[in-house]
Amino acid sequence: QKEVEQNSGPLSVPEGAIASLNCTYSDRGSQSFFWYRQYSGKSPELIMSIYSNGDKEDGRFTAQLNKASQYVSLLIRDSQPSDSATYLCAPGGYQKVTFGTGTKLQVIP
Amino acid sequence: EAGVAQSPRYKIIEKRQSVAFWCNPISGHATLYWYQQILGQGPKLLIQFQNNGVVDDSQLPKDRFSAERLKGVDSTLKIQPAKLEDSAVYLCASSLGQSSYNEQFFGPGTRLTVL
């Protein structure tokens, strides 16, 4: 089983601030990671994927992967109230994919 | 491109009754997943299919849950008999294949309430 740990939050940030979401994982063999956003009452939707060490930027979102430290993070710049949701981290893989519990983000107007 | 379809969207049953959920993945997606998501928790993988074969069902409570994907396309998940603790959202997802680089696409889910 690929274990994933996330702080369940809630993480509260003011509108316009940077939100930092973190995820640690147990399987050193994990080659890829996905960040999903889940609004209340909705199903998860993919917002970022990252496959190699370093940073990957897409608009206001930046994913960071550090395989040596088994750590992946998601930064959301200029946070908006519409970013308020639960963010799930999951490693890619052949089988036994495990999602973290998710971090609930609240952006305060 | 049509997304992952699931039905029904909502279901209310009494404990000890049976229930079935249906999922139709994105066309061409070989891998299909069923997840159980209890309120406040992340999705928990119940079963993963690659075409019509089972890749992982280690977390499926086999005494009451069953799933099939006979023709390698759509899939059904059944619970018989249901317990109160089965109240959850059941999510179906699909991906092109089992590569580490294949993202999963989720259906809208079925919200099950067991009374």
Side-chain angles (χ1 to χ4, degrees):
Chain A
Q1 199 83 20
K2 301 185 180 187
E3 298 298 330
V4 174
E5 297 287 338
Q6 290 184 263
N7 187 325
S8 61
L11 172 66
S12 295
V13 299
E15 183 175 355
I18 295 175
S20 177
L21 307 164
N22 306 311
C23 176
T24 58
Y25 60 95
S26 61
D27 183 1
R28 286 190 171 276
S30 295
Q31 296 298 311
S32 59
F33 287 88
F34 301 96
W35 281 99
Y36 292 82
R37 177 177 61 200
Q38 187 173 27
Y39 291 115
S40 181
K42 302 294 185 183
S43 56
E45 58 176 333
L46 181 75
I47 54 171
M48 285 288 285
S49 58
I50 186 165
Y51 308 133
S52 56
N53 273 331
D55 296 358
K56 179 182 177 184
E57 187 174 318
D58 184 1
R60 295 186 297 111
F61 298 94
T62 299
Q64 299 173 321
L65 175 60
N66 184 326
K67 292 185 178 180
S69 300
Q70 295 177 245
Y71 178 90
V72 59
S73 64
L74 179 71
L75 301 178
I76 306 175
R77 291 181 299 281
D78 188 23
S79 295
Q80 301 297 309
S82 59
D83 295 326
S84 297
T86 296
Y87 290 80
L88 298 160
C89 164
Y94 176 70
Q95 62 185 80
K96 296 186 179 180
V97 174
T98 304
F99 279 84
T101 55
T103 298
K104 186 173 183 179
L105 173 66
Q106 295 177 340
V107 181
I108 312 301
Chain B
E1 178 182 83
V4 177
Q6 288 188 250
S7 67
R9 293 294 311 278
Y10 305 91
K11 190 73 177 181
I12 300 174
I13 61 173
E14 294 188 350
K15 60 183 179 183
R16 291 188 289 273
Q17 287 187 323
S18 62
V19 64
F21 311 129
W22 175 82
C23 173
N24 190 35
I26 292 173
S27 178
H29 280 197
T31 309
L32 186 148
Y33 311 80
W34 282 103
Y35 291 91
Q36 179 193 60
Q37 188 172 26
I38 293 172
L39 188 65
Q41 299 181 17
K44 171 188 170 184
L45 180 67
L46 294 176
I47 190 166
Q48 177 182 340
F49 292 96
Q50 175 69 11
N51 296 311
N52 60 349
V54 176
V55 172
D56 179 17
D57 63 357
S58 58
Q59 297 193 98
L60 185 73
K62 298 179 184 66
D63 58 334
R64 298 184 301 105
F65 286 64
S66 64
E68 60 183 14
R69 193 185 184 199
L70 292 176
K71 296 182 179 179
V73 181
D74 55 351
S75 175
T76 56
L77 176 69
K78 297 179 181 179
I79 307 174
Q80 182 179 11
K83 293 184 175 181
L84 297 178
E85 59 261 36
D86 298 332
S87 294
V89 175
Y90 291 84
L91 296 165
C92 179
S94 70
S95 66
L96 271 174
Q98 296 181 98
S99 165
S100 295
Y101 308 103
N102 290 151
E103 64 190 83
Q104 296 184 40
F105 295 84
F106 285 83
T110 296
R111 184 176 299 275
L112 174 66
T113 302
V114 182
L115 302 176

